[in-house]
Amino acid sequence: MTRSPAPSWPPESSTGCWPERFEEHMAGIGCPMCANDFDAEDIGWGILVRRGQVANAYLWRSGQVRGYCVLIYRGGHVAEPTQLAETEAAAFRYDTLALGGAIEAHYQPMKINYLTLGNKIPHLHSHVFPRRMAGADPAPGGPLPFTVLDEGRQDEEQLQRDAARLRLFLAGPAT
């Protein structure tokens, strides 16, 4: 298994400002997500759990939420889902829901959050993560501060075990 080095992510920005080079990244120039090796099993930021129809699903290393995943569109640079052809948009949504279903099956959360933002890196991607009961969730009933998803690191051994289980759920029933 080849592991790419973890790039610096997210890019630093001043409070109240778009990140440096944001307009270039919107146009696909120097986009950090486009630089991913989508054939790799590990992109440094996360471990591949599924190559979907148009997007790869990764179990993310950062943050304090076990089960935090990111789905990244791999068909070239696209900043907004509205820039996709209808069939690609449907496939991206299917890939998102497949990931959500695996998270639901494995972690059995109270709720799953689906976020498609792109305010730091404008490449089509969605954050998909479980929410838990009060006492086990950092912000029960409300939005999670992004720092909860970004700061800290997941335990690598647990991450590897979770990735293996998510792959089983994403593989679907044996045929």
Side-chain angles (χ1 to χ4, degrees):
M1 170 170 75
T2 303
R3 182 172 164 183
S4 303
S8 173
W9 186 87
E12 295 298 319
S13 67
S14 303
T15 304
C17 296
W18 290 105
E20 187 178 338
R21 300 186 58 215
F22 187 79
E23 290 182 75
E24 290 176 24
H25 292 168
M26 280 287 293
I29 301 166
C31 172
M33 282 197 182
C34 286
N36 284 322
D37 177 359
F38 290 115
D39 293 326
E41 297 292 318
D42 190 323
I43 60 169
W45 298 335
I47 301 167
L48 181 71
V49 293
R50 180 174 189 257
R51 280 186 185 86
Q53 293 178 32
V54 297
N56 285 0
Y58 299 93
L59 182 58
W60 225 235
R61 283 193 165 85
S62 68
Q64 303 156 39
V65 175
R66 184 174 164 214
Y68 172 37
C69 292
V70 177
L71 183 80
I72 304 174
Y73 179 74
R74 66 170 188 273
H77 185 76
V78 170
E80 303 293 346
T82 54
Q83 296 170 334
L84 297 174
E86 188 174 319
T87 55
E88 284 183 306
F92 186 80
R93 188 64 177 158
Y94 178 84
D95 289 345
T96 305
L97 296 176
L99 178 58
I103 291 170
E104 188 172 19
H106 178 51
Y107 297 103
Q108 300 181 344
M110 179 156 214
K111 172 80 177 85
I112 297 177
N113 283 175
Y114 299 85
L115 302 173
T116 303
L117 301 170
N119 296 321
K120 296 278 186 188
I121 299 179
H123 181 106
L124 181 57
H125 66 286
S126 293
H127 304 259
V128 184
F129 52 92
R131 299 299 301 271
R132 296 181 170 83
M133 300 289 292
D137 192 284
L144 282 181
F146 197 74
T147 55
V148 172
L149 297 174
D150 192 42
E151 294 176 0
R153 296 287 274 184
Q154 299 291 320
D155 175 77
E156 189 66 26
E157 289 180 18
Q158 182 66 62
L159 192 77
Q160 295 291 340
R161 286 192 302 272
D162 284 348
R165 289 289 293 160
L166 287 170
R167 284 186 198 108
L168 290 175
F169 286 114
L170 286 161
T175 55

